[in-house]
Amino acid sequence: MAGVKLKYRCCSRMKESCTHLQKGLLAVIITKVAMALVLFGAVWSITEKECLPGGNLFGIVVLFITAVCGGKLMALIQCAPLPPFPPLLGMLLAGLVLRNVPYITSAVYIDSRWSTALRNIALAIILTRAGLGLDALALRKLKAVCVRVAVGPCTVEACTVAVVSHFLMSLPWIWSFLLGFVLSAVSPAVVVPSMLLLQKEGFGVEKGIPTLLMAAGSFDDILAITGFSACLGMAFATGSTWSSLLKGILEVLGGLTIGLVLGFFLRFFPSADQAQLVMRRAFLLLGLSVLAVFGSRIAGFSGAGGLCTLVMAFLAGLSWRESKIPVAGFVGMGWTVFQPLLFGLIGAEISVTALDVNTVALGLAALSTGLVVRVLFTFTMVLFAGFTFKEKVFIALAWLPKATVQAAIGSTALDMAQAQGDAVLEKFGMDILTVAVLAILTTAPIGALSISLAGPRLLQRSTTTSPENPRPEGVPGEPARHVVETGITKESKL
């Protein structure tokens, strides 16, 4: 009888232990570990060596996990009253570490073709989000000051960097302008979250400064990408200068035309009465975007793909109106996956031992000169816009950070040069990539800190807006209700 009771107690305890294992945090951990092992086993059984150290899949997975962890750790670094650093810095540094630590770099191997393909997919997602983030109503209602802030500093900085890099770094003129347009794009990934925090606290909302900068950031990026696409086609064109210029014009016109056709197609297909409409629209939009980016390169008109994607996404969002927001949510889910890959792969392209000290020094000089001119020119663009002196200084400082666009297009020229096997063009492409990485590492944290520290000191806090529920404001003299309703502030986070 005693033995039966003992056996019953043992069974009861085992049952309780199994019940505890099935619930709580331990159960979640065990489930995720089991899923990871099953996934690894299934993929290994198909790809074999590709999943082992030295294989492409192994390298991509390790890079992705390391970049995600690097972004999380970077966001945790906080010294009051300073804001947390942008996570993208941690992702970039993670790739840099994997590339430059002995033994690890040999195990974490990613073929250049795989790396290029993944970065191009990330570029297609970025351009799709940028196109969806624009709205015709906002374009009509935005004041001239927003257009000046978006167009003027971008153009002037691109030209300044082009002139300085041509004489300092001995880059050909077309490659100098490539570098100029790479560096001229501001980073909404840094600007938008900082502006939302200031808007939440009520700083600058009465004159619409946060909304002004968030809306102008998208236009600034599109201008930089368009200029880069045109110069890219000219840089790799064969023939005389006039034929190269003609090819650049044809790429712009071709990208606009194909983008208009595809955007018109997406207006009617899939039709609104179909089931799973959001998923079908997102699939078609992303699929056509990737096809445009890759197909334009295969056709020899690489500069047309980016512009085609921007126009197509803008027209599609224009016809879908409010229903574009869930589609943008699906596109954003893709960005959460490809953002760590993009910044990690960009960091992994840089070998510290292979860096030329002269290139780094001269690149920093060109970058610094462009930033100084950009800040001064931005200040002049808002001289007669109704802002106070302190507000003008803040707007100029907020236009500093570079990150996402530089990571997306910084390696494009290098990838194309490597595909052609031209050592001279590869040198030019590596110079552009090096300066782009330096721009991210220096301006992203400096810009984020400048916005967070200067905002409360230079901007006037609204007396009619509570910090917990701020009233959104528009550009000076114009309410920004349309900006919130059309989703620009949410979808412009590149």
Side-chain angles (χ1 to χ4, degrees):
M1 195 70 181
V4 174
K5 289 183 178 180
L6 181 61
K7 184 177 181 181
Y8 176 76
R9 289 176 182 175
C10 292
C11 293
S12 299
R13 290 177 181 175
M14 290 179 62
K15 187 176 181 180
E16 289 178 3
S17 300
C18 294
T19 303
H20 287 305
L21 285 175
Q22 294 174 358
K23 299 179 180 179
L25 179 61
L26 182 60
V28 174
I29 295 174
I30 293 175
T31 302
K32 289 187 175 181
V33 171
M35 291 173 63
L37 291 175
V38 170
L39 179 61
F40 174 79
V43 176
W44 172 81
S45 64
I46 299 171
T47 63
E48 297 183 3
K49 293 183 179 180
E50 291 292 340
C51 265
L52 301 178
N56 280 302
L57 288 178
F58 179 84
I60 291 173
V61 171
V62 171
L63 178 71
F64 176 79
I65 296 174
T66 308
V68 170
C69 294
K72 298 289 185 182
L73 292 175
M74 185 62 67
L76 293 176
I77 300 177
Q78 188 170 2
C79 303
L82 300 180
F85 288 98
L88 55 88
L89 283 178
M91 301 173 187
L92 186 70
L93 291 174
L96 199 64
V97 169
L98 289 179
R99 173 63 186 274
N100 294 278
V101 174
Y103 303 108
I104 294 180
T105 183
S106 58
V108 183
Y109 168 78
I110 302 176
D111 187 82
S112 60
R113 292 173 298 177
W114 289 51
S115 176
T116 301
L118 290 172
R119 292 198 301 269
N120 285 330
I121 294 173
L123 174 60
I125 295 175
I126 289 173
L127 297 176
T128 303
R129 299 192 74 192
L132 289 175
L134 295 178
D135 189 272
L137 181 61
L139 287 172
R140 290 194 298 265
K141 289 189 175 182
L142 285 172
K143 297 293 186 180
V145 61
C146 185
V147 178
R148 295 201 304 266
V149 171
V151 176
C154 177
T155 305
V156 171
E157 183 183 12
C159 295
T160 301
V161 172
V163 173
V164 174
S165 61
H166 174 72
F167 291 104
L168 286 184
M169 303 177 66
S170 300
L171 290 175
W173 277 113
I174 191 63
W175 285 84
S176 299
F177 276 97
L178 271 176
L179 177 59
F181 281 112
V182 167
L183 298 183
S184 63
V186 75
S187 174
V190 179
V191 173
V192 171
S194 301
M195 291 300 114
L196 290 176
L197 289 175
L198 290 176
Q199 185 171 278
K200 181 180 179 181
E201 296 297 326
F203 290 107
V205 295
E206 293 208 359
K207 292 189 177 179
I209 293 176
T211 299
L212 167 68
L213 293 174
M214 287 188 290
S218 297
F219 306 140
D220 177 279
D221 292 337
I222 289 174
L223 177 61
I225 293 171
T226 303
F228 175 82
S229 299
C231 292
L232 187 68
M234 296 172 62
F236 287 92
T238 57
S240 63
T241 304
W242 288 107
S243 63
S244 300
L245 180 60
L246 179 62
K247 183 181 179 182
I249 296 174
L250 288 176
E251 288 194 353
V252 173
L253 294 178
L256 286 172
T257 304
I258 299 175
L260 287 171
V261 173
L262 294 178
F264 188 76
F265 172 80
L266 290 175
R267 179 178 182 178
F268 299 101
F269 304 99
S271 57
D273 59 342
Q274 295 187 29
Q276 298 179 335
L277 180 62
V278 173
M279 292 187 63
R280 295 187 180 190
R281 282 177 170 174
F283 174 81
L284 275 177
L285 181 61
L286 282 175
L288 289 173
S289 299
V290 173
L291 179 61
V293 172
F294 283 85
S296 62
R297 299 196 176 188
I298 295 174
F301 293 91
S302 55
L307 189 57
C308 171
T309 301
L310 283 171
V311 174
M312 175 183 63
F314 169 68
L315 290 180
L318 184 64
S319 60
W320 296 338
R321 298 183 181 179
E322 293 301 321
S323 59
K324 75 175 182 179
I325 296 177
V327 177
F330 271 93
V331 178
M333 292 172 61
W335 176 238
T336 58
V337 174
F338 279 91
Q339 183 186 24
L341 285 174
L342 173 63
F343 283 96
L345 289 169
I346 288 296
E349 286 288 328
I350 301 297
S351 175
V352 176
T353 56
L355 283 179
D356 185 3
V357 178
N358 189 48
T359 300
V360 173
L362 296 178
L364 285 175
L367 171 65
S368 303
T369 305
L371 287 175
V372 171
V373 173
R374 181 186 186 92
V375 169
L376 295 176
F377 196 80
T378 304
F379 185 86
T380 60
M381 288 289 97
V382 293
L383 278 179
F384 304 102
F387 298 115
T388 65
F389 177 80
K390 290 184 178 179
E391 290 168 343
K392 296 171 188 174
V393 172
F394 173 79
I395 293 173
L397 292 176
W399 235 219
L400 281 175
K402 323 282 185 180
T404 315
V405 177
Q406 286 71 30
I409 65 178
S411 62
T412 304
L414 175 62
D415 294 337
M416 295 181 64
Q418 289 175 341
Q420 290 190 2
D422 192 322
V424 176
L425 297 184
E426 286 185 27
K427 171 66 169 56
F428 296 154
M430 180 55 71
D431 289 345
I432 291 178
L433 176 60
T434 301
V435 180
V437 172
L438 291 174
I440 298 172
L441 292 175
T442 54
T443 64
I446 292 175
L449 293 176
S450 299
I451 294 172
S452 302
L453 296 178
R457 292 168 174 80
L458 300 179
L459 299 181
Q460 184 179 1
R461 192 167 190 173
S462 175
T463 56
T464 60
T465 304
S466 62
E468 293 77 17
N469 187 24
R471 177 178 61 87
E473 297 289 343
V475 291
E478 187 77 32
R481 180 172 56 86
H482 63 281
V483 175
V484 178
E485 290 176 349
T486 54
I488 286 181
T489 59
K490 295 180 181 179
E491 298 172 14
S492 297
K493 300 179 183 179
L494 294 185

